[in-house]
Amino acid sequence: MKYHRLVENAGKPMGFWGSLMIRSMNKGHSELTDWALSYLDFENGSVILDVGCGGGRTIRKLCGRVGSGKVYGIDYSELCVKKARKLNHKNVLCRKAVISQASVSQLPFEDEKFDFVTAVETYYFWENKLSDLKEILRTLKTGGRLLLVFEMVKDESDPDKWSRVEKSLGIEAVGREEMEDMLFRAGYHNIRAHFNKKHGWMCLTAVRE
Ligand SMILES: C[S@@+](CC[C@H](N)C(=O)[O-])C[C@H]1O[C@@H](n2cnc3c(N)ncnc32)[C@H](O)[C@@H]1O
């Protein structure tokens, strides 16, 4: 029962169980996020968007890597926005971090704003995956890079690995080929998949040309 109440709050955290889930995600996704961020070359002054920012720990990590740059975060959960702002309150105060409630389907940003867009453990929940990837592409500068990060990766040697979570949440684990194909169809270039064999993680980087 507790497991179910917690897990059902991964897709759009709300209320008491949502707060617990946010705390658990901030902790549980930290190592995964550090691993995936190592595939991006941040520069002093980089402008970054974290999509589906959850409790805001990725935003905090990014603020530490962009020098005079700026980090935006969006999440469609009101509770996540509140918690992410709290975790990043110093950077929010000086407007180095700007965190808003919004959907990936309609990003409240002009074209070609970002050097990087990151999305950690959120893609599975997007309702219009192809058009959402195109919406992100719109906001990337030419030469800008998207990073998609996944813990729920299909495993041919263990097809039921994620079935409990998939059933609880109505989402699906992802595979390399389908993700490369989606990114290609959405208009990205230089698509690269990276794997962490120890943990079974995958991340993909893709460029707007
Ligand atoms: C599993 S959590 C991951 C949160 C955070 N990225 C992390 O790694 O801890 C998924 C997050 O994506 C957000 N999300 C899901 N679908 C979204 C959408 N269509 N637009 C914006 N945020 C979304 C959820 O509210 C939730 O905070």
Side-chain angles (χ1 to χ4, degrees):
M1 174 66 177
K2 277 187 187 167
Y3 168 83
H4 188 70
R5 295 301 299 275
L6 198 60
V7 168
E8 71 183 8
N9 267 282
K12 190 170 189 179
M14 280 183 279
F16 172 76
W17 292 99
S19 294
L20 286 188
M21 191 64 199
I22 288 169
R23 201 184 315 160
S24 146
M25 291 190 302
N26 268 344
K27 192 161 177 239
H29 295 163
S30 183
E31 193 185 342
L32 166 73
T33 305
D34 288 338
W35 167 73
L37 292 183
S38 71
Y39 290 99
L40 297 181
D41 296 319
F42 301 108
E43 288 179 6
N44 184 13
S46 291
V47 180
I48 307 181
L49 169 65
D50 185 42
V51 168
C53 65
R57 193 154 179 197
T58 302
I59 294 173
R60 192 164 77 177
K61 291 176 192 291
L62 292 170
C63 282
R65 294 176 193 214
V66 297
S68 62
K70 197 157 172 166
V71 181
Y72 293 78
I74 65 105
D75 200 293
Y76 68 176
S77 151
E78 189 181 353
L79 182 63
C80 284
V81 171
K82 193 173 139 200
K83 297 278 184 188
R85 282 183 181 152
K86 194 171 171 196
L87 188 77
N88 292 281
H89 64 281
K90 284 191 187 142
N91 284 320
V92 167
L93 264 181
C94 65
R95 296 199 57 80
K96 180 169 182 164
V98 177
I99 303 167
S100 326
Q101 187 177 8
S103 164
V104 63
S105 302
Q106 206 173 0
L107 295 171
F109 305 109
E110 68 265 28
D111 296 355
E112 303 199 33
K113 183 177 178 71
F114 299 109
D115 298 294
F116 299 97
V117 175
T118 57
V120 181
E121 284 286 90
T122 178
Y123 172 88
Y124 329 100
F125 301 101
W126 303 350
E127 280 186 15
N128 313 296
K129 293 180 173 48
L130 186 60
S131 59
D132 293 343
L133 287 172
K134 289 180 185 169
E135 173 64 353
I136 291 175
L137 187 73
R138 178 187 69 73
T139 69
L140 276 170
K141 292 177 186 170
T142 301
R145 200 169 288 262
L146 167 65
L147 174 73
L148 293 175
V149 186
F150 301 102
E151 189 175 22
M152 284 180 62
V153 180
K154 280 180 189 150
D155 182 347
E156 280 173 16
S157 66
D158 183 4
D160 292 329
K161 182 172 179 185
W162 295 106
S163 51
R164 191 172 173 204
V165 184
E166 287 175 325
K167 271 188 204 130
S168 301
L169 285 170
I171 59 172
E172 274 185 37
V174 297
R176 175 188 190 151
E177 282 180 15
E178 74 186 74
M179 284 313 307
E180 288 176 338
D181 182 54
M182 282 295 273
L183 286 163
F184 178 74
R185 285 197 287 138
Y188 291 83
H189 292 79
N190 295 334
I191 300 159
R192 302 264 182 278
H194 310 276
F195 294 89
N196 180 311
K197 290 206 173 111
K198 183 177 164 207
H199 295 288
W201 298 334
M202 174 173 75
C203 71
L204 295 107
T205 54
V207 175
R208 173 176 180 161
E209 277 194 349

